[in-house]
């Protein structure tokens, strides 16, 4: 009985994930078919991929990419926002050829971000499948989400919906697990993008919590101070 109930709940969730993925995929595919440009993989061959491979090729040969001497006098690959050798999406390069893996990395992180935004609107604000519209639309509008097709460091923002949801949950209830979730999400965002963008993540999270505080019917300063302590603790923990 319980197994069938879980199966009945899981099937719609799977269909929702597939539908959101299809919207992102086909929007990019149709844009490429009509205009000859891809939101996700634009300028891959000429700009980003050669630098990305500087951080990938040593990993494929079993060594840690710390320095690359191919360009000018060399550069520290481990600290480079284009190579990003610590990016969790690099696992895709062990499965696919470089061009396919690069596209898949951008697609997967966008899909994860869109799903978090979709379920945030669906579960927290009572929207039905209409939540798929803002959840997917945001990944094809504005400079922040479109820039990660040109500058891969922009992928930092792909997980922002998950981060803000985690901040909201910490604001509602201060627990060690919720604080650790914020720290882990920031670490993922830092390793998959540019530090120049990652430094804005915590301030945006703080502003989001402050907005929630101002919007609440009863402004509990003591609770907000508790949240602030836990939030700063999460930032120190991820450092």
């Amino acid at each position: 009985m319980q197994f069938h109930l879980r199966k009945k709940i899981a099937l719609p969730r799977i269909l929702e994930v597939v539908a959101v993925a299809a919207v992102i995929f086909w929007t990019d595919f149709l844009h490429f078919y009509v205009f000859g440009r891809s939101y996700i993989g634009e300028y891959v061959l000429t700009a980003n991929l050669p630098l990305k491979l500087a951080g990938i090729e040593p990993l494929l040969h079993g060594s840690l990419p710390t320095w690359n001497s191919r360009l000018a006098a060399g550069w520290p690959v481990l600290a480079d926002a284009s190579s990003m050798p610590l990016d969790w999406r690099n696992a895709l390069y062990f499965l696919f050829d470089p061009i396919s893996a690069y596209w898949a990395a951008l697609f997967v992180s966008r899909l994860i971000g869109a799903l978090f935004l979709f379920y945030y609107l669906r579960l927290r604000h009572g929207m039905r499948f209409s939540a798929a519209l803002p959840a997917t639309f945001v990944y094809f509008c504005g400079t922040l989400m479109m820039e990660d097709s040109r500058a891969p460091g922009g992928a930092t923002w792909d997980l922002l919906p998950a981060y803000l949801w985690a901040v909201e949950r910490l604001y509602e209830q201060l627990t060690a697990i919720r604080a650790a979730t914020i720290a882990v999400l920031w670490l993922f965002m830092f390793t998959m993008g540019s530090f120049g963008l990652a430094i804005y993540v915590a301030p945006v999270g703080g502003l989001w919590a402050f907005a929630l505080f101002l919007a609440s019917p009863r402004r509990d300063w003591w609770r907000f101070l508790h949240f602030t302590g836990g939030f700063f603790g999460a930032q120190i923990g991820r450092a």
Side-chain angles (χ1 to χ4, degrees):
M1 178 72 177
Q2 189 174 8
F3 172 77
H4 289 293
L5 181 61
R6 290 180 179 177
K7 187 177 179 180
K8 186 177 180 180
I9 296 174
L11 183 59
R13 293 287 182 264
I14 294 173
L15 294 176
E16 288 171 351
V17 171
V18 171
V20 171
V23 170
I24 296 178
F25 178 81
W26 285 108
T27 302
D28 185 68
F29 177 80
L30 291 174
H31 189 265
F32 180 80
Y33 181 77
V34 175
F35 297 103
R37 297 175 58 187
S38 168
Y39 278 125
I40 295 179
E42 192 169 21
Y43 304 146
V44 166
L45 295 177
T46 58
N48 298 331
L49 190 58
L51 293 176
K52 182 64 180 175
L53 289 179
I56 295 298
E57 290 174 347
L59 293 175
L60 295 177
H61 291 88
S63 61
L64 185 66
T66 55
W67 185 266
N68 190 294
S69 57
R70 294 181 181 176
L71 182 63
W75 81 95
V77 179
L78 201 59
D80 183 58
S82 296
S83 302
M84 295 183 292
L86 300 180
D87 186 355
W88 56 272
R89 299 171 301 169
N90 288 345
L92 293 168
Y93 287 86
F94 290 87
L95 303 175
F96 307 110
D97 65 89
I99 297 176
S100 301
Y102 189 96
W103 186 91
L106 292 175
F107 176 76
V108 166
S109 59
R110 286 188 174 201
L111 176 60
I112 292 174
L115 287 174
F116 269 106
L117 183 55
F118 171 74
Y119 281 111
Y120 172 78
L121 296 172
R122 187 130 157 51
L123 301 177
R124 306 279 289 188
H125 295 281
M127 296 180 68
R128 299 177 69 84
F129 195 73
S130 58
L133 179 61
T136 55
F137 194 64
V138 70
Y139 284 88
F140 297 100
C141 297
T143 57
L144 288 179
M145 294 305 177
M146 288 179 64
E147 272 300 309
D148 66 3
S149 61
R150 300 176 177 87
T156 294
W157 296 110
D158 287 352
L159 297 185
L160 186 62
Y163 182 84
L164 294 181
W165 192 354
V167 169
E168 187 169 322
R169 284 173 55 81
L170 182 68
Y171 177 76
E172 294 172 347
Q173 184 178 359
L174 185 63
T175 66
I177 293 179
R178 295 186 178 189
T181 300
I182 291 177
V184 170
L185 282 170
W186 189 94
L187 180 62
F188 282 153
M189 297 168 77
F190 170 70
T191 57
M192 66 188 284
S194 168
F195 180 75
L197 296 178
I199 59 175
Y200 294 106
V201 172
V204 169
L207 287 174
W208 179 248
F210 189 61
L212 293 173
F213 168 74
L214 293 178
S216 61
R218 181 173 173 269
R219 296 174 184 173
D220 189 338
W221 283 98
W222 183 246
R223 174 179 158 187
F224 184 73
L225 289 176
H226 270 233
F227 160 81
T228 303
F231 184 69
F232 275 108
Q235 310 313 310
I236 295 173
R238 51 86 174 166

